[in-house]
Amino acid sequence: MTKPEKRQKMLHHIGVALGLSGLGAYYLIIDASGFLEWATGLVNEEYTGSALMVAIMVSMTPAFLLWKYYNRFLERRLAIKGIYYEDSFYKKEDGTDKE
């Protein structure tokens, strides 16, 4: 592995760490906002865990969408090559997309 490749990978790792830190910060902001308590307060006490899970999923959806775009931007910017699961699922064997 050449020195520029090592540098690119290190920058990619740092970028991913920053992105994951951003996801954590987003969660802490949502938690501090009171949204999770509000959502669990809407249901009976026996369903609190389920309501909390749904509230976390709903509140983190925008963050994970941003994560997807951030990660793809980072990989494109740093010329990191990889294979995405959906690429193998949606492409035919001859390399064209399915209709």
Side-chain angles (χ1 to χ4, degrees), residues 52-88:
L52 180 62
M53 181 182 67
V54 170
I56 290 171
M57 288 188 311
V58 167
S59 65
M60 290 300 289
T61 298
F64 285 119
L65 181 65
L66 288 174
W67 165 259
K68 180 181 94 166
Y69 289 127
Y70 169 75
N71 198 28
R72 296 235 173 154
F73 164 77
L74 194 62
E75 290 173 351
R76 187 175 53 248
R77 177 82 176 186
L78 296 174
I80 302 292
K81 302 292 182 208
I83 299 172
Y84 295 104
Y85 172 76
E86 59 266 19
D87 290 344
S88 63

Side-chain angles (χ1 to χ4, degrees):
M1 185 178 305
T2 64
K3 200 167 193 170
E5 289 175 348
K6 285 184 180 181
R7 182 177 181 274
Q8 294 297 92
K9 284 192 175 194
M10 180 59 74
L11 288 174
H12 181 253
H13 292 319
I14 292 170
V16 169
L18 289 173
L20 287 173
S21 299
L23 283 175
Y26 182 87
Y27 173 78
L28 292 174
I29 291 169
I30 292 297
D31 190 30
S33 73
F35 174 75
L36 301 178
E37 289 81 15
W38 172 78
T40 56
L42 293 176
V43 298
N44 293 335
E45 188 175 326
E46 61 193 73
Y47 300 115
T48 306
S50 299
L52 180 62
M53 181 182 67
V54 170
I56 290 171
M57 288 188 311
V58 167
S59 65
M60 290 300 289
T61 298
F64 285 119
L65 181 65
L66 288 174
W67 165 259
K68 180 181 94 166
Y69 289 127
Y70 169 75
N71 198 28
R72 296 235 173 154
F73 164 77
L74 194 62
E75 290 173 351
R76 187 175 53 248
R77 177 82 176 186
L78 296 174
I80 302 292
K81 302 292 182 208
I83 299 172
Y84 295 104
Y85 172 76
E86 59 266 19
D87 290 344
S88 63
F89 183 77
Y90 289 112
K91 288 187 179 180
K92 292 182 182 179
E93 300 218 3
D94 62 359
T96 61
D97 292 337
K98 290 182 181 177
E99 293 181 11

